Amino acid sequence: MGGVLIIISIVIPTLLWADLRYPYVWIAVAALLGYGWIGFLDDYAKIARRRNLGLSGKRKLAYQFGMGFAFAGILLIMRAYGEFSTAMNIPFLKQYQPTMMIQSFLSSPWTYVLGVAPFCVFVALVVVFSSNAVNLTDGLDGLAIGLMVIASGALTILTYAGGHAQLAEYLQLARNPHTSELTVFCGSMTGASLGFLWYNAHPAEIFMGDVGSLGLGGAMAVVAVLIKQEVLLLFIGGIFILEAVSVILQVGSYKLRHGKRIFKMAPLHHHFEALGWTESKIIARFWIAGLVLALFALTTLKLR
């Protein structure tokens, strides 16, 4: 449950140095605390039972989706007051900005729910998938937190650029001055992850647990949604996503192909362990791959 220390190290600097008049800051902090609380309940159940049995999968997903839909609802309220835009930025296609909403249904109160349903489902899926992806990656000493240093560092750059008038115009980003305050949050997330990595590097002296992995994953996705860079999250958190996809493919193959597996083990880092790679080699190479993907995500801003 060392993730409690990570959350404290993010929340305190954010409350001290961010402009708390902007709701974006509170939403990011709430996502971190909310998903961290779900992870805390899971970790505490494991400790109390002294077995590797926390919350049931269905119960954990119910909590996660409930919070994801609540987050989407808050964004819709902000949209009604002109504080948020549902249009997404697509790399290389600066003129194409899908909203994930059915515009023809929004004009009538009777069909409004149907009009916003795709957006709510999309947002909930992004946040839930991201939080679980970080959780699945947290299987080797320093692997997940090292990748989080890279991802949160990239988000720090994106939040600063999106809130800066000159940079946003130069990079052809939809400028939102409110997102600039998220720079403090993302910078705190980077610093807290670096500090934790000092003690979590192989051989680890402390472990983040679900409270840290779910909280960080949820916060990462929420920031991406707030700054309208959901697509770039595929690259910023690319290794996290590959780890989660490897589990989905493995489980699907096992059930649909009568016990046949795609990987020797899942998540993906265990597959390479089974191939004979040392733990330090897996961690270093996954970090390198994560850094390359994050740098690619940042280069797409200029290539647009």
Side-chain angles (χ1 to χ4, degrees), residues 243-255:
E243 293 269 33
V245 170
S246 70
V247 173
I248 294 172
L249 292 175
Q250 185 83 326
V251 174
S253 175
Y254 185 83
K255 290 184 176 181

Side-chain angles (χ1 to χ4, degrees), residues 77-268:
I77 295 173
M78 293 174 60
R79 175 183 177 273
Y81 287 94
E83 296 290 327
F84 179 77
S85 171
T86 57
M88 291 189 298
N89 292 312
I90 305 297
F92 310 114
L93 301 173
K94 59 184 178 182
Q95 302 298 332
Y96 180 62
Q97 294 184 319
T99 64
M100 298 299 295
M101 301 178 75
I102 305 174
Q103 297 296 330
S104 59
F105 287 171
L106 300 180
S107 57
S108 172
W110 300 102
T111 58
Y112 182 80
V113 174
L114 294 176
V116 301
F119 171 78
C120 293
V121 172
F122 173 75
V123 169
L125 285 174
V126 168
V127 180
V128 172
F129 187 87
S130 177
S131 62
N132 284 310
V134 177
N135 187 25
L136 290 170
T137 307
D138 186 31
L140 298 178
D141 295 348
L143 176 58
I145 199 66
L147 292 169
M148 185 53 63
V149 171
I150 297 169
S152 54
L155 287 174
T156 303
I157 296 172
L158 289 173
T159 52
Y160 180 78
H164 192 283
Q166 287 76 24
L167 281 176
E169 181 180 0
Y170 175 68
L171 296 173
Q172 297 180 343
L173 295 173
R175 189 203 172 217
N176 187 341
H178 299 170
T179 64
S180 60
E181 291 304 313
L182 289 174
T183 306
V184 177
F185 178 82
C186 294
S188 300
M189 193 155 58
T190 306
S193 299
L194 273 173
F196 191 81
L197 178 60
W198 183 271
Y199 296 97
N200 187 238
H202 182 72
E205 302 168 61
I206 188 172
F207 302 94
M208 72 169 80
D210 284 9
V211 61
S213 58
L214 292 181
L216 289 172
M220 177 177 68
V222 163
V223 170
V225 172
L226 288 172
I227 64 176
K228 310 314 304 166
Q229 297 293 352
E230 298 94 333
V231 177
L232 283 187
L233 187 62
L234 293 171
F235 303 102
I236 294 171
I239 300 301
F240 295 128
I241 293 171
L242 286 176
E243 293 269 33
V245 170
S246 70
V247 173
I248 294 172
L249 292 175
Q250 185 83 326
V251 174
S253 175
Y254 185 83
K255 290 184 176 181
L256 297 176
R257 301 171 63 204
H258 308 290
K260 293 183 179 179
R261 294 175 171 85
I262 299 175
F263 307 100
K264 289 182 177 296
M265 290 181 68
L268 193 59

Side-chain angles (χ1 to χ4, degrees), residues 17-41:
W17 289 298
D19 191 336
L20 302 180
R21 293 174 298 176
Y22 295 110
Y24 282 51
V25 176
W26 289 107
I27 292 173
V29 170
L32 176 70
L33 293 175
Y35 280 92
W37 177 249
I38 296 173
F40 179 86
L41 293 176

